Amino acid sequence: MVIDTAAQLFAAQGYGPTSLRQIAQTAGVSLETVRAQGRKRSLLASSVRVLSFGRDVDEPVLAAPEADDLRKASTPDEFALAAARLLTGLASRTVGVWRAFVSAAADDPEVDAELSQVQASVRANVGSAVEMLSGRGWLRSDIEPDELAVSLWLLVSIENYDKLTGRLGWSPRRYEQWLTRALSDLLFR
């Protein structure tokens, strides 16, 4: 409940204005209970994980139950669609907290270090997906897997979701359709 409340407050008002006391009051718990969850900057990273998969664990995405359709995909097109659905859901749930995270990281080196850890985890997950696809023989052969992993990491960034849905006004459905095509074009064509 503390992390859910922190996530809502960070998304609504940003990192700076959100205090541990406010999180405690909104969640209906003591300040000590909130402090037991970690420092304020750690609550940002925890908020991203909880909003992503409903739990505060740093597990490989491909191992998560939510990625079952990715693992079961029998064609590149099925994989692209399943990945786009999963990533659109993750982005739509985390975009507000992610904005607060990136903004706070620009001003606070400790928050920036937390953000770097989260981004490293995302890069590792993307690398694992590229390895899985390579093992299936699905990857395009004209671009090295390392470059594909970096390109994929950039493509699936929440900042791109925010630009397309928040700035251009695309619906999440339109974003998902675009991402399905973009994933296919990047990885398989």
Side-chain angles (χ1 to χ4, degrees):
M1 179 180 3
V2 169
I3 295 171
D4 286 338
T5 300
Q8 292 169 11
L9 291 171
F10 289 141
Q13 59 193 30
Y15 179 77
T18 302
S19 69
L20 295 181
R21 183 172 308 285
Q22 183 184 29
I23 293 168
Q25 289 172 341
T26 305
V29 299
S30 70
L31 183 57
E32 292 74 30
T33 299
V34 173
R35 286 187 176 138
Q37 299 295 313
R39 299 188 65 178
K40 183 176 160 183
R41 68 177 180 265
S42 298
L43 286 174
L44 270 172
S46 294
S47 294
V48 169
R49 287 190 290 273
V50 167
L51 290 176
S52 294
F53 292 112
R55 53 200 175 276
D56 187 16
V57 294
D58 195 13
E59 67 183 321
V61 170
L62 288 175
E66 294 83 357
D68 195 40
D69 288 344
L70 295 178
R71 293 186 301 272
K72 289 182 178 178
S74 61
T75 66
D77 287 341
E78 283 181 17
F79 179 88
L81 179 59
R85 284 184 179 152
L86 176 67
L87 293 165
T88 300
L90 292 174
S92 68
R93 291 189 300 274
T94 61
V95 67
V97 171
W98 194 260
R99 254 188 243 124
F101 210 162
V102 170
S103 176
D107 297 328
D108 185 329
E110 292 178 343
V111 174
D112 188 55
E114 289 278 343
L115 179 61
S116 291
Q117 289 178 355
V118 172
Q119 288 177 329
S121 176
V122 173
R123 283 192 311 272
N125 281 309
V126 165
S128 295
V130 168
E131 285 178 23
M132 181 186 79
L133 296 171
S134 179
R136 292 182 182 183
W138 293 351
L139 283 183
R140 62 190 299 166
S141 59
D142 60 327
I143 301 174
E144 292 296 317
D146 288 345
E147 185 178 334
L148 284 174
V150 170
S151 298
L152 182 58
W153 175 62
L154 291 171
L155 178 66
V156 302
S157 72
I158 294 174
E159 290 88 350
N160 287 335
Y161 176 86
D162 192 22
K163 286 176 188 174
L164 293 172
T165 62
R167 304 291 181 220
L168 289 183
W170 285 14
S171 69
R173 178 73 178 133
R174 182 173 179 192
Y175 173 83
E176 179 184 306
Q177 292 168 338
W178 169 81
L179 186 57
T180 301
R181 287 189 306 276
L183 289 168
S184 289
D185 290 346
L186 172 64
L187 298 169
F188 309 128
R189 302 223 179 349

